[in-house]
Amino acid sequence: MSKKRILSLDVFRGITIFAMILVNNPGSWSAVYPPLLHAKWHGCTPTDLIFPFFLFIVGVAVELSLGGQLKKGAEKQQLVKKAFIRSLKLIGLGLLLTAFPYFDLANLRFPGVLQRIGVVYFISTLMYLYLSPRTTLATGAAILVLYWICMTVIPVPGIGEANLEAGTNLAAWIDQQILMGHMWSQTKTWDPEGLFSTLPAIVTCLLGIFCGKVLTGSSEHGARLKQWVTWGLALLIGGYLWSFVFPLNKALWTSSFVLYTAGWAFLGLALCYWILDVKGWQKWSLPFVIYGMNAITVFFLSGIIAKLFGLIKLNLNGEMVSLKFFLQEVLFNGWLEPKNASLGGALLMMVILFIPAYLMWKKNIIIKV
């Protein structure tokens, strides 16, 4: 693949990371514009698109990377070994990010964003290497249908009829049997990156692989765009229609959510491709390229820095406050409307994180996990 073709993916990845950091680091959680918040339960906001977009991008990258290595004669066993090691690194980084800075292992949350990426990446890689594309898509479809049936038909032990409510659904029950005390929610009865809901998340990555195959299977701009837009619209409509019986829900990663978000991902990448590669409008893209080149590193640093900003204390009018509150109060609060002040705090974090990302880009340092 040429650098020109990869640029679209780097920019799309960079935009996704930019958005992920933006919504994760508001100046104040009490004043946030609705599109920058997750849906309270059922539904899908722009913020809910971010994580599935990243898993989708992982799938595209699998096709671009492994496909090229296979053509060069790489052995599948070696590729599996590398994928397994990378998966372990991602899971390890995720656990480290969660444990920092107190390392309370007895109550450590086991699932997480990086952990899910690691698991999904490895399983998707195995399917890519050992199943045909048609079998892979058929398996993905079967996973979505079976997940739908399990979540809406199978009674929940100790609860009763199947339901899709927080903490009492089948996915939550499965997590409770294995991960009790190590989950995200305050009641520790469910987790948005739980075990059972990781199965349909794999299909998000598989659809990304399929998107990548469109890229490697044709060299014509028009053919690529036509397929991406067609699949994007089909998945978007299919997911929306499915949501009437199996609601869009990020925390449960419902089957309708998989199709709906993948539809937007196809269309989003198609738009980036059309702007950058077809029209050649590339000057605006550099900041996102810088973020996209070291996406995992930037995401990891965002978590560490955000926690440090909460730990460091400074004196503000005779009161010791966190560095985050200090910066928010001094720079934004008082002269900006609360939601704009909160957005200002999020943008400040983007600027802070851009510094190490820029330095790595300038020195051509790409940290591969």
Side-chain angles (χ1 to χ4, degrees):
M1 301 302 295
S2 70
K3 291 183 179 179
K4 186 176 180 181
R5 292 171 184 170
I6 294 176
L7 179 62
S8 301
L9 183 62
D10 266 337
V11 171
F12 191 44
R13 185 190 291 113
I15 292 173
T16 302
I17 287 296
F18 179 95
M20 186 178 290
I21 297 169
L22 185 70
V23 303
N24 284 346
N25 299 278
S28 171
W29 284 106
S30 63
V32 181
Y33 285 105
L36 302 180
L37 292 170
H38 290 291
K40 290 184 178 179
W41 190 242
H42 293 323
C44 184
T45 71
T47 296
D48 292 314
L49 298 175
I50 296 170
F51 192 16
F53 274 20
F54 198 84
L55 286 181
F56 183 91
I57 293 166
V58 169
V60 179
V62 165
E63 164 63 22
L64 295 181
S65 175
L66 297 188
Q69 292 183 64
L70 287 173
K71 289 178 181 178
K72 292 178 181 178
E75 295 184 1
K76 291 184 178 181
Q77 290 183 338
Q78 283 299 111
L79 296 178
V80 170
K81 181 180 178 180
K82 289 180 180 179
F84 182 67
I85 294 173
R86 188 182 188 197
S87 177
L88 289 180
K89 288 180 179 178
L90 287 166
I91 293 170
L93 284 174
L95 292 173
L96 176 61
L97 187 59
T98 303
F100 181 84
Y102 301 111
F103 295 93
D104 179 13
L105 302 184
N107 298 293
L108 179 65
R109 178 194 175 198
F110 290 159
V113 170
L114 292 178
Q115 294 92 312
R116 171 165 283 185
I117 293 173
V119 172
V120 167
Y121 165 73
F122 181 65
I123 295 176
S124 298
T125 296
L126 288 179
M127 296 177 71
Y128 176 84
L129 291 174
Y130 292 103
L131 298 179
S132 68
R134 179 174 294 183
T135 303
T136 298
L137 284 179
T139 302
I143 290 173
L144 295 184
V145 172
L146 289 174
Y147 185 68
W148 171 42
I149 293 173
C150 289
M151 292 294 291
T152 57
V153 174
I154 298 177
V156 183
I159 299 295
E161 293 183 359
N163 71 90
L164 300 176
E165 300 304 315
T168 61
N169 58 76
L170 183 64
W173 179 83
I174 291 173
D175 289 339
Q176 290 164 20
Q177 308 313 301
I178 304 172
L179 301 173
M180 182 57 77
H182 298 279
M183 290 183 280
W184 171 83
S185 61
Q186 291 182 345
T187 58
K188 295 190 181 295
T189 57
W190 63 276
D191 195 291
E193 279 80 51
L195 296 173
F196 195 41
S197 60
T198 296
L199 288 175
I202 293 169
V203 184
T204 298
C205 188
L206 297 181
L207 287 169
I209 291 175
F210 179 74
C211 179
K213 285 188 174 297
V214 173
L215 185 63
T216 59
S218 174
S219 60
E220 296 182 1
H221 294 322
R224 290 170 173 172
L225 287 170
K226 182 179 179 180
Q227 290 190 65
W228 282 341
V229 172
T230 300
W231 276 98
L233 291 175
L235 290 168
L236 197 61
I237 294 170
Y240 176 74
L241 293 176
W242 202 346
S243 72
F244 285 98
V245 291
F246 197 23
L248 301 173
N249 189 302
K250 175 189 175 294
L252 298 176
W253 215 277
T254 52
S255 304
S256 59
F257 181 78
V258 171
L259 299 188
Y260 184 79
T261 55
W264 280 119
F266 266 98
L267 295 176
L269 183 57
L271 180 60
C272 285
Y273 184 82
W274 179 75
I275 292 173
L276 293 163
D277 298 310
V278 177
K279 291 298 183 180
W281 299 332
Q282 300 179 0
K283 292 182 180 180
W284 63 274
S285 66
L286 183 58
F288 300 109
V289 171
I290 291 172
Y291 273 115
M293 283 180 63
N294 281 289
I296 295 295
T297 302
V298 171
F299 175 76
F300 182 80
L301 286 176
S302 73
I304 295 295
I305 292 174
K307 290 186 176 184
L308 288 175
F309 274 31
L311 288 173
I312 298 172
K313 302 296 181 181
L314 296 176
N315 189 302
L316 180 65
N317 300 324
E319 181 183 358
M320 299 305 292
V321 299
S322 69
L323 175 57
K324 177 181 178 179
F325 184 85
F326 181 90
L327 293 173
Q328 189 67 27
E329 191 70 17
V330 171
L331 298 176
F332 305 110
N333 293 346
W335 68 281
L336 287 175
E337 188 270 335
K339 288 183 180 179
N340 288 335
S342 181
L343 179 60
L347 292 174
L348 175 62
M349 180 63 77
M350 296 300 310
V351 172
I352 291 171
L353 287 166
F354 186 77
I355 295 171
Y358 175 79
L359 292 175
M360 286 187 288
W361 171 80
K362 193 71 173 177
K363 296 181 179 296
N364 198 30
I365 298 173
I366 300 177
I367 300 177
K368 295 183 177 180
V369 178

